[in-house]
Amino acid sequence: LASQLSASRDSHARRPLQAVAPDISPSELLDGIRRDVFSMHFQPKVDANTLRVVGVEALARWQHAGQSVRPDFFIGAAERHGLIAPLSRMLLAKTLNDASRLAEAGFPLFIAFNLSASWLSDIHLPEFILESIQAVSLPAERLILEITETTILSDLDTAMDVLTRQRLKGFKLSIDDFGTGYSSMEQLQRIPFSELKLDRSFVQGAADRPTVRAILSASIDMARKLKLSTVAEGVETQAELDLVRGLGCDLVQGWLIAKAMPVAELIDWLRSRATQPT
């Protein structure tokens, strides 16, 4: 659950999270949940043309045994051990509490939260998420639920039912990491998505790779025809920003704009940004 400014920024940006052994045990996860050691960081999403901040993506973090565990490690372990529901419930609660803090600070932004494939199989999920967002007095349309392509295919019938009911309750749906899975035009039409996120592998270096640029251009054009807004992930250079702008992408996120940060740091960043000249 991650995405992340000058020479010092670049060297720091590309330093990977310290990896622990991927065979995380159920007891370690349960202990982490019980001790409430998981946290959320937020990466800004901005209008591609004006660079106005319109939302953030919530990204989970876990400090375990003195190391930062990669999200794909602990999310994957939670899925394997049948613990994704309690972990996701806790992460969602943290995300929505921080979203409420943002709104109280004067920044009522859209909040994107990643849904695990395993949690999508819970037919009661739409009602749970609605109750959770109502508990912090935020409107449902402020929450964007991100789903990866492969997540949808794991159980299409159940996913269709759950996602459709999520949309009917007012939540926005985003298809994440587009281009890395197996989406078809039919699938994109059947599921009520409102946003398409372009994977960083089709953004970074695309200015110098005609084939990748063609794929990126075609994806943005397709999304426009399907009336989906587009988000370019992993934008790290001015050239990449100029490219996606030129191709008509709506939103961007990445290190060129800002890293992912805790909510208190994010509020300071937003306040500082608000006082800067356009």
Side-chain angles (χ1 to χ4, degrees):
L1 301 171
S3 275
Q4 315 301 66
L5 302 154
S6 69
S8 62
R9 180 209 74 190
D10 287 342
S11 61
H12 199 60
R14 290 168 177 78
R15 186 184 305 155
L17 292 170
Q18 276 188 295
V20 299
D23 55 339
I24 300 167
S25 70
S27 60
E28 288 176 297
L29 284 167
L30 286 169
D31 183 61
I33 294 171
R34 179 181 56 80
R35 294 191 297 111
D36 194 24
V37 295
F38 293 90
S39 63
M40 303 307 296
H41 284 201
F42 300 87
Q43 186 171 41
K45 296 162 66 176
V46 304
D47 181 284
N49 293 310
T50 66
L51 300 186
R52 178 177 63 89
V53 182
V54 298
V56 292
E57 179 181 2
L59 305 166
R61 296 289 185 261
W62 185 24
Q63 285 292 130
H64 176 60
Q67 294 183 311
S68 297
V69 185
R70 280 174 39 179
D72 56 328
F73 282 1
F74 66 79
I75 295 297
E79 290 174 333
R80 288 193 304 274
H81 299 311
L83 295 172
I84 197 62
L87 176 61
S88 295
R89 283 194 292 265
M90 182 190 69
L91 296 179
L92 178 64
K94 289 177 175 291
T95 295
L96 295 178
N97 284 332
D98 286 345
S100 181
R101 287 181 61 185
L102 277 172
E104 290 171 359
F107 304 104
L109 303 173
F110 289 102
I111 309 293
F113 181 82
N114 293 270
L115 283 185
S116 161
S118 301
W119 206 24
L120 252 189
S121 62
D122 182 352
I123 62 172
H124 303 295
L125 184 59
E127 289 72 27
F128 173 79
I129 296 181
L130 182 61
E131 290 170 2
S132 297
I133 199 167
Q134 289 175 337
V136 294
S137 301
L138 292 176
E141 59 268 21
R142 193 82 56 77
L143 183 62
I144 301 173
L145 301 171
E146 294 193 3
I147 305 99
T148 60
E149 293 184 81
T150 48
T151 289
I152 302 162
L153 288 179
S154 60
D155 185 351
L156 187 55
D157 290 339
T158 302
M160 279 285 294
D161 174 62
V162 170
L163 292 174
T164 299
R165 288 192 292 121
Q166 299 274 31
R167 196 71 179 94
L168 289 171
K169 292 184 183 299
F171 304 117
K172 297 179 183 298
L173 300 178
S174 175
I175 183 164
D176 196 15
D177 297 335
F178 183 79
T180 61
Y182 312 97
S183 284
S184 66
M185 288 287 283
E186 179 185 8
Q187 189 168 297
L188 287 174
Q189 289 175 317
R190 289 176 61 193
I191 299 173
F193 289 110
S194 54
E195 180 183 272
L196 183 151
K197 297 193 75 175
L198 300 153
D199 187 71
R200 67 187 59 235
S201 62
F202 293 107
V203 174
Q204 296 175 349
D208 303 315
R209 296 151 63 194
T211 301
V212 176
R213 176 176 176 146
I215 295 172
L216 187 62
S217 177
S219 298
I220 293 173
D221 186 54
M222 178 195 66
R224 186 182 300 113
K225 290 176 180 176
L226 292 173
K227 296 181 171 54
L228 304 178
S229 64
T230 49
V231 183
E233 295 186 284
V235 174
E236 294 189 357
T237 69
Q238 185 65 42
E240 290 165 358
L241 175 60
D242 292 341
L243 174 62
V244 296
R245 271 177 171 169
L247 293 175
C249 188
D250 299 304
L251 306 174
V252 298
Q253 90 184 68
W255 269 89
L256 182 66
I257 307 303
K259 65 177 181 177
M261 57 194 111
V263 67
E265 185 178 338
L266 173 62
I267 290 172
D268 289 342
W269 181 85
L270 289 165
R271 286 173 173 161
S272 173
R273 191 178 179 85
T275 63
Q276 295 174 357
T278 302

